Every structure is written in structure tokens, then in C-alpha cells.
Amino acid sequence: AVMKKYVLRFTGSGAKPAADVARIRKCEGIAVVDEAPRMLLVQCASKTRVRQLVDDLDKWVMSEERTVQLPNPRPKVRSKRAA
């Protein structure tokens, strides 16, 4: 199965609850990849599994990780050829 990454964001006030983080970390099949003050990046093969976990937690929302291709910081000058 392909492991996809999901962003879990705490929408309540203050820092994310330690008890919620512990519950997410213990959830079988879900691996915490990265952590920020109000967010967790998790990896899991089942979107449904992550959705069920988030639905059970208060004030958490989930979205799929999106990546954006950055433009080349050193664009190449195109040479004009004489026709």
C-alpha cells in the first residue's frame, strides 16, 4: 500500500493537547513524521483510518499534504539563434 502524508491541525486555542498527540502517536498504522506547535504531519496507508482518528478528536482537522514545485532560482538565458 502507498503511504500518503496528511496534515493534522489543531484548531482550538493554545498549543495542541499532549493527550491528543499521545493518542495519535499510539494509533496503529499511523506514523508521526514531523511536528509543529499546532500541527502534526502523519503518514498512513489508509485515509479512512486517519479520518476516523481525527473525527474522534476534538478541534482537529485533516488535509492531505500538498507539495508545490518551486521555480528554478537560476533561470537560464535562452540564446537567440540567427535564422
Side-chain angles (χ1 to χ4, degrees):
V2 177
M3 298 288 274
K4 287 195 170 187
K5 291 181 182 170
Y6 303 92
V7 177
L8 307 185
R9 189 167 53 87
F10 180 63
T11 60
S13 58
K16 59 190 182 300
D20 289 356
V21 174
R23 185 171 168 193
I24 293 165
R25 287 189 179 278
K26 281 188 222 167
C27 192
E28 196 174 320
I30 297 177
V32 175
V33 178
D34 199 5
E35 195 170 335
R38 300 174 57 81
M39 288 185 268
L40 291 172
L41 179 63
V42 300
Q43 194 168 15
C44 184
S46 168
K47 183 177 183 175
T48 306
R49 186 168 190 75
V50 179
R51 168 62 55 212
Q52 288 171 342
L53 174 66
V54 170
D55 287 348
D56 280 351
L57 296 170
D58 191 35
K59 297 182 179 163
W60 284 83
V61 294
M62 157 195 164
S63 60
E64 283 192 41
E65 179 191 45
R66 289 189 292 269
T67 56
V68 177
Q69 181 123 16
L70 297 175
N72 184 350
R74 296 176 183 229
K76 294 179 179 165
V77 177
R78 294 182 181 160
S79 61
K80 293 181 183 177
R81 290 186 179 168

